[in-house]
Amino acid sequence: MSTTTAPPTTTSTTAPTTTPATTPTRSPAPSRPDDEARLAGLVRLAALVACVPTAVVNLFVGEWQCPAFAAGFTPSDTALAESMCWTATGEDAGRTLHHVPDASLDPRFARNPWVDGRRASVRFYASVPLRSGNGRLVGTLCVFDETPGHLAPQQRAALLDLALSIGALVEHREYAAQWERLGEEADAERVLVPRG
């Protein structure tokens, strides 16, 4: 296993572990409250579509998987070496959906800490890669449960549609952050000339 550096420092907000919630834990870019509400709603909808209690949007930041929004549990940053989503997307970057009925029986995941009880006991797992407009992998939409499960074709199609919407919102947040930084830099460099 490779060594990793500490995760990037950001402000995070988590809900009590006893309260299922949709919780923004890491915001890669500032955005308007309505964008946050849309993302939170889409994550809750993903859990409903998959008929599972838990869903999360994970973003890949450096050597870390950072949850942006989660429904049904309190998430935490995960080193990519321990990330189920990174393992799934890294093995076959061309796939559009990864579906694992029982992760404890899958050799890719059986010894993963999210499966073997060290961090959780995930059994059913499915994820859809989130990509930027130029095709760059930025994260995943992930749904999972502690009991084995299966996705019907209609559920798979709905998750793919949700991932497209989530990916567009995530990219919008990144562009908003870039414009905000450019504006701040322009303000800092502006020289006010006193009137004579």
Side-chain angles (χ1 to χ4, degrees), residues 73-111:
F73 76 115
T74 302
S76 60
D77 292 347
T78 301
L80 291 185
E82 296 182 349
S83 164
M84 295 178 71
C85 289
W86 183 254
T87 298
T89 56
E91 287 191 353
D92 188 355
R95 292 181 61 185
T96 55
L97 186 141
H98 300 85
H99 177 236
V100 181
D102 188 342
S104 69
L105 303 179
D106 190 311
R108 297 173 299 171
F109 303 115
R111 295 182 181 174

Side-chain angles (χ1 to χ4, degrees), residues 14-129:
T14 56
T17 54
T18 56
T19 305
T22 301
T23 305
T25 60
R26 178 180 296 272
S27 177
S31 60
R32 298 175 303 179
D34 54 342
D35 286 342
E36 303 293 325
R38 288 187 188 106
L39 278 166
L42 290 171
V43 172
R44 288 192 300 269
L45 184 56
L48 288 172
V49 163
C51 298
V52 297
T54 45
V56 62
V57 168
N58 291 311
L59 301 179
F60 299 140
V61 181
E63 296 182 28
W64 293 85
Q65 170 184 285
C66 303
F69 288 89
F73 76 115
T74 302
S76 60
D77 292 347
T78 301
L80 291 185
E82 296 182 349
S83 164
M84 295 178 71
C85 289
W86 183 254
T87 298
T89 56
E91 287 191 353
D92 188 355
R95 292 181 61 185
T96 55
L97 186 141
H98 300 85
H99 177 236
V100 181
D102 188 342
S104 69
L105 303 179
D106 190 311
R108 297 173 299 171
F109 303 115
R111 295 182 181 174
N112 185 286
W114 290 96
V115 176
D116 67 13
R118 285 176 286 163
R119 297 190 73 169
S121 299
V122 171
R123 293 298 176 262
F124 167 76
Y125 164 83
S127 67
V128 182

Side-chain angles (χ1 to χ4, degrees), residues 145-166:
D145 198 355
E146 292 190 345
T147 58
H150 185 77
L151 290 175
Q154 300 92 328
Q155 291 172 298
R156 295 182 188 215
L159 286 175
L160 289 169
D161 288 341
L162 286 171
L164 286 174
S165 296
I166 290 170

